[in-house]
Amino acid sequence: MAEVRPSPAAGTPGLPFNPLVPPGLQAIYGECRRLYPEQPNPLQVTAIVKYWLGGPDPLDYVSMYRSLGNPATTVPEHWHYVSFGLSDLYGDNRVHEFTGADGLSGFGFELTFRLKREAGESAPPTWPAELMQGLARYVFQSENTFCSGDHVSWHSPLDNSESRIQHMLLTEDPQMQPVRTPFGVVSFLQIVGVCTEELHAAQQWNGQGILELLRTVPVAGGPWLITDMRRGETIFEIDPHLQERVDKGIETDGSNLSGVSAKCAWDDLSRPPEDEDDSRSICIGTQPRRLSGKDTEQIRETLRRGLEINTKPVLPPITGQRHNGMNHDRAPSRKDSLESESSAAIIPHELIRTRQLESVHLKFNQESGTLIPLCLRGRLLHGRHFTYKSISGDTAITFVSTGVEGAFATEEHPYAAHGPWLQILLTEELVEKMLDDLEDLSSPEEIKLPKEYSWPEKKLKISILPDTVFDNPLH
């Protein structure tokens, strides 16, 4: 629960330090005062019971400023929201572990959001603050950090209206500069509301490319990427030529999306179900096998390395230590999205052998299934790999191309499993055939579920199933 009130006195220009305000908070206030010297005490949405006292909202405050924009560069007047709490505000370990002044403060960033001001609007809407709290809850619960270019599939109008703006991209705030606090550095990531078609384009190509296109369309964001919840057209409807730029980008660059958390499963059809070593025990057994810590780290590296564009993709060796080979455009996170409480090893890593499989059956829900063409065209045809990680367990499916080194799936044995982690190696010839056969996945609304695709000569089957199947542990 939150309340709206003026922010406490945070110092005034000429008085840069206020001993009543915690140093981390004071540093962010200082950057806000630099932009809005005439608004020293903006309205704030404040968590009544702070997170560190057992409250549900991780952000202590969300400040709301009125920005006049920049008419000369077609930047309209808007509301500017700034979060306080993803970084370390206090330095006393009440929320974040204090690690010194030279690293990141807390998670290393705060969120911002710019919402177009409606005519006659005298006060900022407060729903963006709850949106920011929702993203912050995800960060705190998963310990995953966001990076510029990331996307968030929200599947609902951001303001709970009938708006087409139902998803988010993240980018650097165009005005706020990183600040150094006594507890580390804080940068500012801006939330940008986008339509479903724009989200899909970001997935198929990359988030930064779509952000650049949004900057060129004033009504869709403009230079400062201001969200207009009343926008009724996508950038591709506003300017059809932009779709050509996306298509060319996909063809030239491929996709930067290296993996997703998904509703997925796989069966080993090579063995009878009663074989206690059958990998289907990960799907239907009462005591599911879990990934070891080393397996989890390798899958994490699979996702991170998938972001590399100009280097040859390499999977770290299955028995090796974790490599520090992540894409350096991404800031390191406390915990990657593939690591969870459930990934603690039940079976020692060295006792799980890699098995070659003769025939496999892959299962995806509709949303995950529609990403298969992206995986094939945007990743494998560019010599990369793509990982599906189950959101309900430790199952993982990694598609690899022949150009990926370090995989335990090979051209001789294209299906290989290490515990519940399956790797599938697809040749370029097979990828092209699969793309033709899976063409109807580009129009998912016309697909009647369940839908099955099969390549008998390759002993490979893919099923697209209703969500309810994955909600039942005996699927």
Side-chain angles (χ1 to χ4, degrees), residues 248-264:
K248 184 176 181 180
I250 295 172
E251 181 180 352
T252 303
D253 305 329
S255 172
N256 263 20
L257 184 66
S258 60
V260 292
S261 295
K263 291 186 176 182
C264 63

Side-chain angles (χ1 to χ4, degrees), residues 28 59 83-87 89 108-112 186-189:
I28 301 174
L59 302 176
S83 77
F84 296 80
L86 285 161
S87 63
L89 304 179
F109 69 97
E110 293 289 354
L111 294 169
T112 74
V186 183
S187 60
F188 297 91
L189 280 181

Side-chain angles (χ1 to χ4, degrees), residues 3 5-8 21-22 25 29 43-48 50 52 57-64 81-86 89-90 94 110-111 129 132-133:
E3 64 178 351
R5 64 183 187 186
S7 64
V21 179
L25 195 65
Y29 277 146
L43 286 177
Q44 279 187 334
V45 175
T46 303
I48 295 178
K50 299 296 187 285
W52 37 275
D57 299 325
L59 302 176
D60 283 9
Y61 313 101
V62 175
S63 286
M64 303 177 287
Y81 300 76
V82 181
S83 77
F84 296 80
L86 285 161
L89 304 179
Y90 306 99
R94 72 177 73 177
E110 293 289 354
L111 294 169
M132 296 166 90
Q133 290 283 15

Side-chain angles (χ1 to χ4, degrees), residues 104-410:
L104 298 178
S105 171
F107 288 104
F109 69 97
E110 293 289 354
L111 294 169
T112 74
F113 183 63
R114 294 175 185 268
L115 177 67
K116 184 180 178 182
R117 177 177 172 268
E118 300 294 338
E121 207 169 43
S122 59
T126 58
W127 63 261
E130 181 51 41
L131 183 74
M132 296 166 90
Q133 290 283 15
L135 292 178
R137 278 190 285 271
Y138 164 77
V139 172
F140 271 84
Q141 290 166 10
S142 67
E143 295 191 355
N144 300 329
T145 58
F146 291 125
C147 299
S148 180
D150 282 353
H151 68 268
V152 178
S153 303
W154 201 251
H155 300 291
S156 177
L158 304 188
D159 61 351
N160 295 316
S161 68
E162 300 298 319
S163 175
R164 292 186 70 176
I165 308 300
Q166 301 188 8
H167 308 280
M168 293 166 271
L169 298 178
L170 291 157
T171 188
E172 297 91 350
D173 189 283
Q175 286 187 299
M176 301 192 74
Q177 301 298 316
V179 296
R180 183 172 294 279
T181 80
F183 316 132
V185 176
V186 183
S187 60
F188 297 91
L189 280 181
Q190 181 176 317
I191 301 164
V192 181
V194 296
C195 303
T196 298
E197 295 83 351
E198 294 154 358
L199 172 81
H200 290 165
Q203 292 175 326
Q204 293 163 7
W205 183 22
N206 61 68
Q208 295 291 5
I210 300 305
L211 288 163
E212 287 305 314
L213 296 185
L214 289 166
R215 288 187 177 96
T216 68
V217 183
V219 298
W224 292 7
L225 294 170
I226 295 165
T227 299
D228 180 359
M229 294 303 297
R230 296 195 178 188
R231 173 160 68 95
E233 293 181 304
T234 71
I235 57 173
F236 309 114
E237 293 166 333
I238 296 169
D239 183 353
H241 292 97
L242 296 182
Q243 184 62 57
E244 298 175 11
R245 292 177 60 180
V246 173
D247 293 340
K248 184 176 181 180
I250 295 172
E251 181 180 352
T252 303
D253 305 329
S255 172
N256 263 20
L257 184 66
S258 60
V260 292
S261 295
K263 291 186 176 182
C264 63
W266 62 272
D267 285 348
D268 176 6
L269 302 183
S270 313
R271 303 181 179 200
E274 63 271 13
D275 187 333
E276 64 181 15
D277 287 332
D278 187 356
S279 67
R280 275 182 286 184
S281 64
I282 68 172
C283 301
I284 64 176
T286 56
Q287 294 295 327
R289 200 180 262 173
R290 294 182 181 178
L291 290 175
S292 73
K294 288 185 178 180
D295 283 340
T296 299
E297 289 176 355
Q298 187 186 353
I299 298 175
R300 174 169 54 195
E301 287 300 309
T302 298
L303 290 189
R304 281 176 170 162
R305 286 172 177 266
L307 293 173
E308 297 175 358
I309 296 175
N310 297 318
T311 59
K312 190 171 185 179
V314 178
L315 293 180
I318 191 68
T319 58
Q321 296 297 318
R322 178 179 172 190
H323 293 271
N324 189 21
M326 71 183 71
N327 180 282
H328 294 287
D329 291 335
R330 291 181 66 90
S333 63
R334 292 184 178 184
K335 185 188 290 185
D336 189 88
S337 59
L338 292 184
E339 189 175 23
S340 65
E341 293 296 328
S342 66
S343 65
I346 291 180
I347 303 173
H349 173 88
E350 60 273 11
L351 297 184
I352 302 178
R353 58 189 174 88
T354 299
R355 296 187 293 110
Q356 283 78 42
L357 316 180
E358 293 298 324
S359 179
V360 295
H361 181 193
L362 312 182
K363 303 174 183 179
F364 302 93
N365 74 333
Q366 187 169 19
E367 182 178 5
S368 303
T370 58
L371 292 176
I372 297 175
L374 179 157
C375 158
L376 301 178
R377 181 178 292 109
R379 300 293 301 175
L380 270 65
L381 287 182
H382 289 264
R384 302 177 197 160
H385 40 74
F386 189 91
T387 295
Y388 286 94
K389 172 65 175 67
S390 172
I391 61 175
S392 58
D394 283 315
T395 306
I397 302 169
T398 296
F399 291 90
V400 299
S401 68
T402 54
V404 175
E405 296 180 351
F408 47 83
T410 64

